[in-house]
Amino acid sequence: MRALTWHGKHDVRMETVPDPKIVNPRDAIIRITSTAICGSDLHLYDSYIPSMHRGDILGHEFMGEVVETGSGSNLKKGERVVVPFVIACGQCFFCGKQQFSACDNSNPADKTDLSEIAYGYAMSGLFGYSHMTGGYAGGQAEYVRVPYSDVGPLVIPDGLEDDKVLFLSDILPTGWMAAENCEIEPGDTVAVWGCGPVGLFAVQSAFLLEPTG
Amino acid sequence: MSSSPVERARQSDAPLTAAVAQRDVSKEAAEERGWHEAAVVGRTVTINRTRAELYAFWRDFRNLPRFMENVERVDVGDDRRSHWVISAPAGRTVEWDSVITEDEPDSVIAWESVEGADVRNAGRIEFRDAPPGRGTYVTATIVYDPPAGDIGKLIAKLFQKEPKIQARRELRRFKQLMETGEIPVAFKEDDSAVRGSFS
């Protein structure tokens, strides 16, 4: 398949790489139909994030069609899914509290040494975001392997185009959480500084929370 | 480990008070067994499963290679004896027979190599209730006799390079397997073989 790979500071390339395969029972393979570039991809592009390896496949905002499933996945071939960028097992203490970004299990054991030493506790696994967060291949590619595919992916009903739902993978929830954390109540006046994509989603989310009563 | 308490405190996470009062567990472990020397690795992890489930899985030593990287296989003889085969560099193996020395259902399993082991070693795994809703505290302690000579150099590669990291990774894989039924890997097609999982 073709995929966007990282090779160093300001050096990313479209390359032909092997297709992903099912590795564990709960995996699924997704054929990517839409993917976005995140502001945090620029941190990789600018080489601010340690533990990137040459050839790593980038991308953590993506969606697509299920083309293959492991025996433990509850997805079905042909379903359209948006995949959240955090990989979560759904069964550890943190996942039980819906604190998926603190998942205890999704980061492979041999990848957790760095974050355990640097932060005192291992980080969860993320797609396409350095080996500190698992070294998982990302979704700026034709296909991606999604571990624990019975937990993260959101199945999209027919009739909703990719552009309407793609941003559920990361950036819309980021803007939503900013608005939610403000505990906006009817009648509040809301100002948003910095109207990039996250800021714009924060604005939209604030409207949904009805500050004008 | 340095004998100076100040130096020990500097080299470890222990505050000075703990370092002063610190027992030399390696020395104690060696004396207890009549060994010249011993290395000790200890580690605790919290697993979101009951003591009974974790004990039962571990008690069948044939399961251990599923999450222990270097353990090629464990053959179980009778209820107390087992034969361990460890893969070493260059296609070699290191082997020993082991006997269970302590077995308290749902709480503790301890084992120790018998005479003739390539590497003398002992292990103990303890299962304690964590606070409600948190599962079980699992504490593993591994003691081994750092061997000398050629075989020693080989073993050093397996056991002594970063034994703490090794223990951390293996307990983490145990947790992953017990909580999620599989061991996550960030697989690239050119990576080496993938390890087992439930299916």
Side-chain angles (χ1 to χ4, degrees), chain B residues 102-124:
Chain B
E102 196 181 347
D103 186 8
E104 214 177 298
D106 307 341
S107 298
V108 176
I109 310 165
W111 60 95
E112 189 157 344
S113 62
V114 299
E115 203 60 38
D118 284 345
V119 186
R120 291 192 292 192
N121 68 89
R124 189 172 197 277

PDB file of all heavy atoms in Angstrom, chain B residues 102-124:
ATOM      1  N   GLU B 102       6.473 -23.488  47.706  1.00  0.00           N
ATOM      2  CA  GLU B 102       5.412 -22.864  48.495  1.00  0.00           C
ATOM      3  C   GLU B 102       4.203 -22.729  47.580  1.00  0.00           C
ATOM      4  O   GLU B 102       4.349 -22.287  46.427  1.00  0.00           O
ATOM      5  CB  GLU B 102       5.880 -21.472  48.954  1.00  0.00           C
ATOM      6  CG  GLU B 102       5.071 -20.863  50.076  1.00  0.00           C
ATOM      7  CD  GLU B 102       5.592 -19.464  50.440  1.00  0.00           C
ATOM      8  OE1 GLU B 102       6.695 -19.092  50.000  1.00  0.00           O
ATOM      9  OE2 GLU B 102       4.860 -18.751  51.136  1.00  0.00           O
ATOM     10  N   ASP B 103       3.051 -23.141  48.049  1.00  0.00           N
ATOM     11  CA  ASP B 103       1.873 -23.077  47.194  1.00  0.00           C
ATOM     12  C   ASP B 103       0.640 -22.864  48.059  1.00  0.00           C
ATOM     13  O   ASP B 103       0.170 -23.770  48.729  1.00  0.00           O
ATOM     14  CB  ASP B 103       1.753 -24.377  46.383  1.00  0.00           C
ATOM     15  CG  ASP B 103       0.621 -24.305  45.370  1.00  0.00           C
ATOM     16  OD1 ASP B 103       0.029 -23.213  45.194  1.00  0.00           O
ATOM     17  OD2 ASP B 103       0.323 -25.350  44.754  1.00  0.00           O
ATOM     18  N   GLU B 104       0.151 -21.655  48.045  1.00  0.00           N
ATOM     19  CA  GLU B 104      -1.015 -21.311  48.848  1.00  0.00           C
ATOM     20  C   GLU B 104      -2.079 -20.832  47.869  1.00  0.00           C
ATOM     21  O   GLU B 104      -1.929 -19.737  47.296  1.00  0.00           O
ATOM     22  CB  GLU B 104      -0.624 -20.174  49.790  1.00  0.00           C
ATOM     23  CG  GLU B 104      -1.306 -20.204  51.126  1.00  0.00           C
ATOM     24  CD  GLU B 104      -0.775 -19.061  51.974  1.00  0.00           C
ATOM     25  OE1 GLU B 104       0.445 -19.052  52.268  1.00  0.00           O
ATOM     26  OE2 GLU B 104      -1.573 -18.166  52.291  1.00  0.00           O
ATOM     27  N   PRO B 105      -3.107 -21.625  47.625  1.00  0.00           N
ATOM     28  CA  PRO B 105      -4.072 -21.269  46.579  1.00  0.00           C
ATOM     29  C   PRO B 105      -4.565 -19.828  46.676  1.00  0.00           C
ATOM     30  O   PRO B 105      -4.865 -19.327  47.762  1.00  0.00           O
ATOM     31  CB  PRO B 105      -5.213 -22.264  46.812  1.00  0.00           C
ATOM     32  CG  PRO B 105      -4.530 -23.462  47.383  1.00  0.00           C
ATOM     33  CD  PRO B 105      -3.426 -22.916  48.244  1.00  0.00           C
ATOM     34  N   ASP B 106      -4.602 -19.174  45.539  1.00  0.00           N
ATOM     35  CA  ASP B 106      -5.062 -17.797  45.376  1.00  0.00           C
ATOM     36  C   ASP B 106      -4.175 -16.759  46.073  1.00  0.00           C
ATOM     37  O   ASP B 106      -4.535 -15.580  46.141  1.00  0.00           O
ATOM     38  CB  ASP B 106      -6.508 -17.614  45.870  1.00  0.00           C
ATOM     39  CG  ASP B 106      -7.451 -18.618  45.225  1.00  0.00           C
ATOM     40  OD1 ASP B 106      -7.087 -19.180  44.175  1.00  0.00           O
ATOM     41  OD2 ASP B 106      -8.542 -18.835  45.782  1.00  0.00           O
ATOM     42  N   SER B 107      -3.030 -17.174  46.619  1.00  0.00           N
ATOM     43  CA  SER B 107      -2.193 -16.222  47.349  1.00  0.00           C
ATOM     44  C   SER B 107      -0.727 -16.218  46.914  1.00  0.00           C
ATOM     45  O   SER B 107      -0.196 -15.169  46.568  1.00  0.00           O
ATOM     46  CB  SER B 107      -2.231 -16.495  48.852  1.00  0.00           C
ATOM     47  OG  SER B 107      -3.535 -16.329  49.336  1.00  0.00           O
ATOM     48  N   VAL B 108      -0.083 -17.365  46.969  1.00  0.00           N
ATOM     49  CA  VAL B 108       1.363 -17.405  46.769  1.00  0.00           C
ATOM     50  C   VAL B 108       1.784 -18.656  45.999  1.00  0.00           C
ATOM     51  O   VAL B 108       1.260 -19.738  46.233  1.00  0.00           O
ATOM     52  CB  VAL B 108       2.122 -17.427  48.126  1.00  0.00           C
ATOM     53  CG1 VAL B 108       3.628 -17.557  47.902  1.00  0.00           C
ATOM     54  CG2 VAL B 108       1.831 -16.186  48.942  1.00  0.00           C
ATOM     55  N   ILE B 109       2.737 -18.469  45.082  1.00  0.00           N
ATOM     56  CA  ILE B 109       3.438 -19.607  44.485  1.00  0.00           C
ATOM     57  C   ILE B 109       4.929 -19.275  44.539  1.00  0.00           C
ATOM     58  O   ILE B 109       5.321 -18.168  44.156  1.00  0.00           O
ATOM     59  CB  ILE B 109       3.047 -19.835  43.009  1.00  0.00           C
ATOM     60  CG1 ILE B 109       1.526 -19.855  42.828  1.00  0.00           C
ATOM     61  CG2 ILE B 109       3.671 -21.131  42.485  1.00  0.00           C
ATOM     62  CD1 ILE B 109       1.083 -19.703  41.381  1.00  0.00           C
ATOM     63  N   ALA B 110       5.738 -20.202  45.029  1.00  0.00           N
ATOM     64  CA  ALA B 110       7.183 -20.001  44.999  1.00  0.00           C
ATOM     65  C   ALA B 110       7.824 -21.256  44.441  1.00  0.00           C
ATOM     66  O   ALA B 110       7.301 -22.360  44.613  1.00  0.00           O
ATOM     67  CB  ALA B 110       7.715 -19.704  46.393  1.00  0.00           C
ATOM     68  N   TRP B 111       8.909 -21.069  43.727  1.00  0.00           N
ATOM     69  CA  TRP B 111       9.591 -22.218  43.129  1.00  0.00           C
ATOM     70  C   TRP B 111      11.091 -21.978  43.161  1.00  0.00           C
ATOM     71  O   TRP B 111      11.547 -20.848  43.332  1.00  0.00           O
ATOM     72  CB  TRP B 111       9.109 -22.444  41.689  1.00  0.00           C
ATOM     73  CG  TRP B 111       9.353 -21.284  40.773  1.00  0.00           C
ATOM     74  CD1 TRP B 111      10.417 -21.113  39.940  1.00  0.00           C
ATOM     75  CD2 TRP B 111       8.536 -20.117  40.610  1.00  0.00           C
ATOM     76  NE1 TRP B 111      10.307 -19.916  39.270  1.00  0.00           N
ATOM     77  CE2 TRP B 111       9.163 -19.285  39.665  1.00  0.00           C
ATOM     78  CE3 TRP B 111       7.318 -19.683  41.200  1.00  0.00           C
ATOM     79  CZ2 TRP B 111       8.636 -18.054  39.265  1.00  0.00           C
ATOM     80  CZ3 TRP B 111       6.801 -18.460  40.807  1.00  0.00           C
ATOM     81  CH2 TRP B 111       7.447 -17.660  39.851  1.00  0.00           C
ATOM     82  N   GLU B 112      11.848 -23.055  43.029  1.00  0.00           N
ATOM     83  CA  GLU B 112      13.301 -22.927  43.076  1.00  0.00           C
ATOM     84  C   GLU B 112      13.916 -24.007  42.202  1.00  0.00           C
ATOM     85  O   GLU B 112      13.420 -25.123  42.136  1.00  0.00           O
ATOM     86  CB  GLU B 112      13.771 -23.065  44.526  1.00  0.00           C
ATOM     87  CG  GLU B 112      15.224 -22.734  44.706  1.00  0.00           C
ATOM     88  CD  GLU B 112      15.555 -22.316  46.144  1.00  0.00           C
ATOM     89  OE1 GLU B 112      14.634 -21.990  46.915  1.00  0.00           O
ATOM     90  OE2 GLU B 112      16.744 -22.336  46.479  1.00  0.00           O
ATOM     91  N   SER B 113      15.009 -23.644  41.527  1.00  0.00           N
ATOM     92  CA  SER B 113      15.674 -24.630  40.669  1.00  0.00           C
ATOM     93  C   SER B 113      16.317 -25.694  41.550  1.00  0.00           C
ATOM     94  O   SER B 113      16.702 -25.427  42.691  1.00  0.00           O
ATOM     95  CB  SER B 113      16.720 -23.944  39.796  1.00  0.00           C
ATOM     96  OG  SER B 113      17.715 -23.348  40.598  1.00  0.00           O
ATOM     97  N   VAL B 114      16.452 -26.895  41.011  1.00  0.00           N
ATOM     98  CA  VAL B 114      17.091 -27.966  41.777  1.00  0.00           C
ATOM     99  C   VAL B 114      18.535 -28.135  41.294  1.00  0.00           C
ATOM    100  O   VAL B 114      18.953 -27.515  40.321  1.00  0.00           O
ATOM    101  CB  VAL B 114      16.306 -29.302  41.660  1.00  0.00           C
ATOM    102  CG1 VAL B 114      14.900 -29.144  42.214  1.00  0.00           C
ATOM    103  CG2 VAL B 114      16.274 -29.793  40.223  1.00  0.00           C
ATOM    104  N   GLU B 115      19.266 -28.983  41.973  1.00  0.00           N
ATOM    105  CA  GLU B 115      20.663 -29.288  41.647  1.00  0.00           C
ATOM    106  C   GLU B 115      20.852 -29.514  40.139  1.00  0.00           C
ATOM    107  O   GLU B 115      20.036 -30.177  39.498  1.00  0.00           O
ATOM    108  CB  GLU B 115      21.042 -30.576  42.416  1.00  0.00           C
ATOM    109  CG  GLU B 115      22.525 -30.767  42.659  1.00  0.00           C
ATOM    110  CD  GLU B 115      23.141 -29.623  43.487  1.00  0.00           C
ATOM    111  OE1 GLU B 115      22.467 -29.142  44.422  1.00  0.00           O
ATOM    112  OE2 GLU B 115      24.276 -29.219  43.170  1.00  0.00           O
ATOM    113  N   GLY B 116      21.890 -28.949  39.597  1.00  0.00           N
ATOM    114  CA  GLY B 116      22.198 -29.201  38.187  1.00  0.00           C
ATOM    115  C   GLY B 116      21.659 -28.146  37.231  1.00  0.00           C
ATOM    116  O   GLY B 116      21.784 -28.288  36.019  1.00  0.00           O
ATOM    117  N   ALA B 117      21.077 -27.101  37.768  1.00  0.00           N
ATOM    118  CA  ALA B 117      20.522 -26.042  36.912  1.00  0.00           C
ATOM    119  C   ALA B 117      21.643 -25.282  36.194  1.00  0.00           C
ATOM    120  O   ALA B 117      22.706 -25.065  36.768  1.00  0.00           O
ATOM    121  CB  ALA B 117      19.707 -25.078  37.756  1.00  0.00           C
ATOM    122  N   ASP B 118      21.418 -24.929  34.930  1.00  0.00           N
ATOM    123  CA  ASP B 118      22.379 -24.076  34.221  1.00  0.00           C
ATOM    124  C   ASP B 118      22.538 -22.742  34.960  1.00  0.00           C
ATOM    125  O   ASP B 118      23.621 -22.176  35.012  1.00  0.00           O
ATOM    126  CB  ASP B 118      21.903 -23.808  32.792  1.00  0.00           C
ATOM    127  CG  ASP B 118      22.130 -25.016  31.881  1.00  0.00           C
ATOM    128  OD1 ASP B 118      22.898 -25.913  32.281  1.00  0.00           O
ATOM    129  OD2 ASP B 118      21.539 -25.048  30.791  1.00  0.00           O
ATOM    130  N   VAL B 119      21.440 -22.248  35.472  1.00  0.00           N
ATOM    131  CA  VAL B 119      21.465 -21.041  36.298  1.00  0.00           C
ATOM    132  C   VAL B 119      20.602 -21.304  37.520  1.00  0.00           C
ATOM    133  O   VAL B 119      19.416 -21.613  37.378  1.00  0.00           O
ATOM    134  CB  VAL B 119      20.853 -19.825  35.558  1.00  0.00           C
ATOM    135  CG1 VAL B 119      21.032 -18.567  36.389  1.00  0.00           C
ATOM    136  CG2 VAL B 119      21.448 -19.655  34.188  1.00  0.00           C
ATOM    137  N   ARG B 120      21.188 -21.184  38.693  1.00  0.00           N
ATOM    138  CA  ARG B 120      20.388 -21.369  39.905  1.00  0.00           C
ATOM    139  C   ARG B 120      19.448 -20.178  40.040  1.00  0.00           C
ATOM    140  O   ARG B 120      19.882 -19.021  39.908  1.00  0.00           O
ATOM    141  CB  ARG B 120      21.294 -21.468  41.127  1.00  0.00           C
ATOM    142  CG  ARG B 120      22.108 -22.757  41.136  1.00  0.00           C
ATOM    143  CD  ARG B 120      22.763 -22.979  42.467  1.00  0.00           C
ATOM    144  NE  ARG B 120      23.809 -21.989  42.712  1.00  0.00           N
ATOM    145  CZ  ARG B 120      24.698 -22.091  43.706  1.00  0.00           C
ATOM    146  NH1 ARG B 120      24.627 -23.106  44.546  1.00  0.00           N
ATOM    147  NH2 ARG B 120      25.634 -21.164  43.863  1.00  0.00           N
ATOM    148  N   ASN B 121      18.181 -20.458  40.308  1.00  0.00           N
ATOM    149  CA  ASN B 121      17.238 -19.343  40.413  1.00  0.00           C
ATOM    150  C   ASN B 121      16.034 -19.748  41.244  1.00  0.00           C
ATOM    151  O   ASN B 121      15.762 -20.932  41.444  1.00  0.00           O
ATOM    152  CB  ASN B 121      16.804 -18.898  39.022  1.00  0.00           C
ATOM    153  CG  ASN B 121      15.963 -19.945  38.324  1.00  0.00           C
ATOM    154  OD1 ASN B 121      14.743 -19.950  38.460  1.00  0.00           O
ATOM    155  ND2 ASN B 121      16.615 -20.867  37.611  1.00  0.00           N
ATOM    156  N   ALA B 122      15.338 -18.739  41.716  1.00  0.00           N
ATOM    157  CA  ALA B 122      14.118 -18.970  42.486  1.00  0.00           C
ATOM    158  C   ALA B 122      13.150 -17.840  42.185  1.00  0.00           C
ATOM    159  O   ALA B 122      13.559 -16.717  41.871  1.00  0.00           O
ATOM    160  CB  ALA B 122      14.436 -19.007  43.978  1.00  0.00           C
ATOM    161  N   GLY B 123      11.875 -18.144  42.253  1.00  0.00           N
ATOM    162  CA  GLY B 123      10.870 -17.114  42.002  1.00  0.00           C
ATOM    163  C   GLY B 123       9.736 -17.216  42.996  1.00  0.00           C
ATOM    164  O   GLY B 123       9.495 -18.285  43.581  1.00  0.00           O
ATOM    165  N   ARG B 124       9.091 -16.101  43.217  1.00  0.00           N
ATOM    166  CA  ARG B 124       7.952 -16.091  44.136  1.00  0.00           C
ATOM    167  C   ARG B 124       6.941 -15.094  43.583  1.00  0.00           C
ATOM    168  O   ARG B 124       7.312 -13.981  43.190  1.00  0.00           O
ATOM    169  CB  ARG B 124       8.422 -15.632  45.525  1.00  0.00           C
ATOM    170  CG  ARG B 124       7.390 -15.770  46.615  1.00  0.00           C
ATOM    171  CD  ARG B 124       8.042 -15.472  47.965  1.00  0.00           C
ATOM    172  NE  ARG B 124       7.237 -15.963  49.071  1.00  0.00           N
ATOM    173  CZ  ARG B 124       6.216 -15.290  49.589  1.00  0.00           C
ATOM    174  NH1 ARG B 124       5.898 -14.113  49.115  1.00  0.00           N
ATOM    175  NH2 ARG B 124       5.524 -15.804  50.593  1.00  0.00           N
TER     176      ARG B 124
END
